[in-house]
Amino acid sequence: MELKAIGDRFRYRMFRQDGLARVGEIVTPRGVIRTPAFMPVGTVATVKALYPEQVKEAGADIILANTYHLMLRPGAERIQRLGGLHDFMRWNGPILTDSGGFQVMSLSQIRKITEEGAAFQSHIDGSRHLLSPERSIEIQCLLGSDIQMQMDECIELPAERAQVERAMQLSLRWAERSQRAFEAEKVKGRAREGQALFAIVQGGTDATLRKQSARALVGMDFPGYAIGGLAVGEGQEAMLATLEETLPELPEAKPRYLMGVGTPEDLIEAVRRGVDMFDCVMPTRNGRHGLAFTWNGRVNLRNARHAEDLSPLDAESTCPAARDYSRAYLHHLVRAGEYLGSMLLSWSNTAFYQQLMAAMRAAIAEGRFESWAEETKARLARKDG
Amino acid sequence: MELKAIGDRFRYRMFRQDGLARVGEIVTPRGVIRTPAFMPVGTVATVKALYPEQVKEAGADIILANTYHLMLRPGAERIQRLGGLHDFMRWNGPILTDSGGFQVMSLSQIRKITEEGAAFQSHIDGSRHLLSPERSIEIQCLLGSDIQMQMDECIELPAERAQVERAMQLSLRWAERSQRAFEAEKVKGRAREGQALFAIVQGGTDATLRKQSARALVGMDFPGYAIGGLAVGEGQEAMLATLEETLPELPEAKPRYLMGVGTPEDLIEAVRRGVDMFDCVMPTRNGRHGLAFTWNGRVNLRNARHAEDLSPLDAESTCPAARDYSRAYLHHLVRAGEYLGSMLLSWSNTAFYQQLMAAMRAAIAEGRFESWAEETKARLARKDG
């Protein structure tokens, strides 16, 4: 695919700050990412139960794909031979790939973490693999993703401080190796100008470790910084406290990405503290389980109270799934386990998350984020379902 | 929903006959059905894995819905309270409903067929129900379907002649009761002018019984006639032989519907013998299982030979699923068990079946059905996958 000449560099521009919340844009050769941005998750090269056109029309500028899944099936070399991930899955906007490390640790059957990397067996066919920081970068370059992530060690919380520190230090060494590997890929011509490698701040919920991690990574000068290892069971309060300690350490001129988060309320609170990017399976996974996100709170469509409700999820939505189908019909589809139920609710939720980000961007741009956030959180708390 | 004033009567018009093949139209208050017509199956008020707009755009004029499934969930009275099946599932064209009888016999757990009807337990929750010819018509009127089917007894083949005859005779008596019940619904105002009740010819593969059934039903003057009890294991040859014996008994001025059929080759051979309407789960069910129908034969996308094939299923198709996605990507989606694989292949197959019917209508209209059929059957036999 020919890239439009939007610019050959990767750059972040902040338009306005309102409190700590930031509205801006990331410019990549494949398109502009309006921030704060929510990235729908396309785990195995498809945002589950959605056509790529629907993801785009919902307002997503960028999607995330998972290195772990794609390296196992269909394989990174195969995707490269087929012209790269964008053409393969018919998504011509920017794609962010994770390093694969997190899912090696959460999904693979047998794994051994060493200084070198993570040895594991595929959860699909038991085949043996070694994922190192260098191999992760190589895979992400073969996929052709626009934003790549360093490999890190992400441990479950709560954990002993010594263990958190060890994983954080290992992640720092892997950050250096990832950066060197990424530069080497550029020399080899397999990474191009305008692709970016993000570092990942680790350190659990320990403020000292987080600051230490952030400072070391900032010293290495990455084009963007992620906060990893949160939303793994520590609770919203601890997560937000950790953000408050960590974000001030990160440069204003670079985008900040909170990995794997979260609920609409999480997104609002994280944006309030200065986060620019998010990804989460929640809109699609919950959609497949019959749960809809709306401006008036969550709606559990399995609930019998919807059985004869002719109203749609949101009569004012621009998304046909939210606007044109009755709750009674959605209830029926969910109860019957029909594809169309998952399709409609994943679509509606994906659109809702994008509308939420658009509303946040507008509120920040107009300097009314705080009042918007309070009002919206009150509406979202209605739990109308 | 307001019905457009296309006409308040149900009527069939044949435009041209080419050999025994017929091209024509059925006019209903909800729209025109171009014949020969293939009806996508929307078992539980959704054509599986498709949006209603896609079914329409694929070229379907009418869909089928299953009385058995809908009476159990969400219930016919509930659908009636919600405004009828058309509004419920957002399909404003004609809908044909079956009687429920066939699926009572194939799906329900415990059943007892008596003169009165079929007593059975739901396969969903074990609840007890009696489906009689009168209750079936009542349900179909509550659903608001445009073409309704009499209840019949459909037995598995092969079967003893005596058993086939007994079921055929019972089906004749049920046809009379269905017709009386349908007239009674009109008096009650629950059926309206323009809705039609079709009779079902039974008799297994026994020519004498088929003729006897057909003649008796024609004597009762129904607006359309179905051939039931075929495609239940008797083989294509026996099915076509039975059609050849049965169809000449049916009036030229009424539509003929072959229930539950079939493969593209079955459709061509049945149209060649004078059938006007079909329904089958094959395009969607096979799509969910990774099998695509194309003009060059069946393509099994699970097959490893597609893993790096960048060509689409059909570059010249008007259906985006067939035209815009590579076989390599479809192969990946099918192997990974992804929703999008089922969605794309159900869509492509549904569109293909409609294109097949459109091509048959054009060939008949132009008096070249025989040569078209021979050519097309040769192409379809390539089994390219």
Side-chain angles (χ1 to χ4, degrees), chain A residues 17 27 50 59 61 66 84 151 189 197 244 248 254 315 368 378:
Chain A
Q17 196 157 18
V27 179
L50 293 180
D61 294 327
N66 289 121
M151 191 165 155
L197 171 67
E244 287 167 15
K254 305 282 175 75
R368 53 179 177 80

Side-chain angles (χ1 to χ4, degrees), chain A residues 250-267:
Chain A
L250 298 177
E252 283 210 341
K254 305 282 175 75
R256 298 109 169 238
Y257 162 30
L258 178 57
M259 302 182 82
V261 173
T263 66
E265 295 81 359
D266 287 339
L267 301 187

Side-chain angles (χ1 to χ4, degrees), chain B residues 21 34 137-138 212 225 305 363 370:
Chain B
R34 295 164 290 180
I137 294 295
E138 183 182 24
Q212 195 182 334
Y225 294 91
R305 58 177 284 229
E370 279 304 313

Side-chain angles (χ1 to χ4, degrees), chain A residues 115-117 132-134 173-182:
Chain A
E115 186 68 30
E116 172 58 15
S132 64
E134 292 78 12
R173 294 190 298 277
W174 286 1
E176 287 191 47
R177 284 169 56 189
S178 299
Q179 196 174 45
R180 276 200 302 276
F182 189 66

Side-chain angles (χ1 to χ4, degrees), chain A residues 44-45 48 81 308 329 338, chain B residues 45 48 81 308 329 338:
Chain A
V44 301
K48 285 188 199 300
R81 285 193 297 274
E308 299 202 2
Y329 185 54
E338 279 292 328
Chain B
K48 285 190 198 299
R81 286 194 297 275
E308 300 202 1
Y329 185 55
E338 279 291 328

